[in-house]
Amino acid sequence: MMRILRKLGLFLLMALISIGLIAGCSGEKQQVSNQPKSSGGQEVVEIKLSHSSPAVDDRLEAACQAFKKYVEEKTNGKVKVTTYPASQLGAEREQLEGVQLGTIQMAALSSGPLPGIFPPIMVFDLPYLFATQKAAYEVLDGPVGREILDLMKAKTGIRGLVWGENGFRHYTNSVRPIRKPGDMQGLKIRTMENPAHMAIVKALGASPTPMAFNEVYTGLQQKTIDGQENPISLIVSMRFYEAQKYLTLDGHVYNPYILMINDKFYNSLSEDIRKIIDEGALVWQKVEREENNKQIMAGLEKLKAAGMEITELSPQELQAFRDATKSVYDTIGKKEVGEELLNKVLKAVQEAESKK
């Protein structure tokens, strides 16, 4: 009797193991079948592409959609790009950290949060570095611009694909018109968490107040801050003019965007997909810059119509702002960027500005 029971127990044990194996294989097959497939039956590469600008009526999302369309069509569905606008994946600093860690594959970010992990990027945050948009394009798209992106990749693991355009930054406030540095005295001005931007505001006599981009509108409304500084396109798209009366077109910083990708993720892709992503980045750059220029032209008219008092500075008035912020070239330029790179950029700017 005991022998029979032992045999029966062994039989039941084997049956249970067999059932478990079958269930495991079935689950494994089910799991594989749930993976996204391209039209050719291959697993789809999924890319999260994040940024902080609005989801509608803004050049950055338009450019990201152009990138998405190009990459998805050229890879025949092997790559799926999902955009996450309006800081859905966190503020710019959190997005940058996500790209560095690889939890976010791609992002289109301003240079604002980069100094925390890559101080040399602040060379483009030096006050009144570029006088014209054309010169900025020449430098960013030339050898010096590529050298900086390569250095960033080596230091951070983030590959900069191309430079985009956030644009020339200008001051707005709700207190008074600003025509000279002394008019900035005592104002609380929101800046990015960027040492160069904070140093510029401080040199002009105002109080720099770092704040996440998605909190700025509320800060202006509630008078936590008196003003802020941003390109025209963002002043319009973020509706800052609803809480600000005065705009001064001083263009203290030309602020680029960078379309970036986690370098380890990029290198894990096949050569043909990498090539298409590189091509798509150039599409992104073209659309983003074109749309930004359209927004600037239309934006100024909209700000006037909204009742903003717009101050344009004469060359002499602008020179007073340059003179007041020269110290930033020592405190940030030489100490944080380094004299060798700073001199390379200054030389490239001089050459670009001299071209007709």
Side-chain angles (χ1 to χ4, degrees):
M1 185 68 176
M2 291 300 293
R3 190 180 303 135
I4 294 170
L5 288 173
R6 280 198 298 271
K7 286 183 178 179
L8 181 59
L10 183 60
F11 174 78
L12 288 170
L13 179 62
M14 293 300 292
L16 288 169
I17 291 171
S18 298
I19 291 169
L21 287 171
I22 292 168
C25 291
S26 175
E28 189 175 316
K29 288 178 182 176
Q30 183 65 34
Q31 183 180 5
V32 171
S33 67
N34 283 337
Q35 295 297 317
K37 299 283 186 181
S38 68
S39 57
Q42 297 172 301
E43 286 189 12
V44 171
V45 175
E46 300 205 44
I47 294 178
K48 294 178 184 176
L49 172 52
S50 69
H51 64 86
S52 288
S53 288
V56 294
D57 299 328
D58 188 76
R59 77 280 198 228
L60 206 52
E61 179 63 12
C64 289
Q65 287 296 325
F67 174 83
K68 168 186 170 72
K69 183 175 186 290
Y70 185 89
V71 170
E72 290 182 349
E73 287 181 357
K74 290 294 183 179
T75 60
N76 295 314
K78 293 177 187 175
V79 178
K80 179 186 176 185
V81 179
T82 304
T83 67
Y84 293 86
S87 303
Q88 290 180 40
L89 301 185
E92 282 202 321
R93 185 174 64 178
E94 285 73 38
Q95 293 175 55
L96 180 66
E97 290 169 354
V99 176
Q100 190 173 28
L101 291 170
T103 54
I104 301 172
Q105 289 77 34
M106 293 184 67
L109 302 178
S110 73
S111 58
L114 270 163
I117 60 172
F118 183 58
I121 197 68
M122 283 189 284
V123 71
F124 295 127
D125 292 307
L126 294 173
Y128 308 101
L129 176 67
F130 295 112
T132 65
Q133 184 187 60
K134 183 175 178 291
Y137 288 178
E138 285 269 348
V139 174
L140 290 166
D141 298 341
V144 171
R146 175 46 56 186
E147 181 180 337
I148 290 171
L149 292 181
D150 288 343
L151 184 60
M152 181 179 78
K153 180 180 66 178
K155 296 286 186 182
T156 69
I158 296 172
R159 174 183 289 261
L161 294 170
V162 289
W163 297 96
E165 179 173 70
N166 200 0
F168 283 101
R169 304 180 77 89
H170 309 286
Y171 292 109
T172 71
N173 81 95
S174 59
V175 179
R176 55 180 172 264
I178 295 170
R179 294 206 75 96
K180 58 185 184 298
D183 294 331
M184 296 279 286
Q185 192 70 39
L187 296 179
K188 291 180 70 176
I189 302 293
R190 178 269 173 181
T191 68
M192 291 190 281
E193 294 184 78
N194 182 308
H197 291 204
M198 290 186 276
I200 293 169
V201 170
K202 192 172 181 180
L204 292 172
S207 299
T209 308
M211 182 182 291
F213 185 62
N214 57 350
E215 298 173 4
V216 177
Y217 185 88
T218 302
L220 294 172
Q221 266 194 328
Q222 296 177 350
K223 307 294 185 184
T224 307
I225 47 177
D226 298 310
Q228 59 85 50
E229 48 85 52
N230 259 301
I232 296 297
S233 51
L234 286 179
I235 294 169
V236 174
S237 63
M238 296 302 291
R239 306 179 74 88
F240 292 151
Y241 56 86
E242 294 179 346
Q244 299 278 270
K245 174 68 176 172
Y246 305 102
L247 165 65
T248 298
L249 299 175
D250 75 309
H252 49 278
V253 166
Y254 177 85
N255 192 214
Y257 275 123
I258 304 173
L259 183 64
M260 57 184 68
I261 187 169
N262 177 278
D263 192 51
K264 188 175 180 181
F265 170 76
Y266 177 88
N267 287 317
S268 73
L269 302 172
S270 62
E271 185 178 349
D272 62 323
I273 290 178
R274 292 200 302 269
K275 182 174 182 292
I276 290 168
I277 285 176
D278 292 343
E279 293 168 352
L282 292 173
V283 171
W284 177 92
Q285 182 187 60
K286 183 175 185 294
V287 171
E288 198 276 331
R289 284 176 172 175
E290 287 176 352
E291 291 299 314
N292 189 62
N293 282 322
K294 289 178 189 176
Q295 279 190 245
I296 291 171
M297 293 173 66
L300 282 170
E301 293 304 314
K302 186 166 185 175
L303 295 178
K304 288 176 185 176
M308 285 199 87
E309 184 177 317
I310 300 176
T311 299
E312 295 189 53
L313 302 177
S314 69
Q316 293 77 18
E317 288 172 327
L318 191 58
Q319 187 60 47
F321 283 82
R322 287 197 181 97
D323 292 341
T325 55
K326 279 181 179 176
S327 61
V328 180
Y329 279 78
D330 290 322
T331 57
I332 298 296
K334 292 180 181 178
K335 292 180 182 178
E336 299 292 342
V337 175
E339 285 197 58
E340 183 180 352
L341 181 58
L342 175 61
N343 289 334
K344 276 186 184 179
V345 171
L346 292 176
K347 182 181 178 184
V349 171
Q350 186 177 29
E351 291 173 354
E353 296 284 6
S354 67
K355 290 182 180 179
K356 292 184 180 179

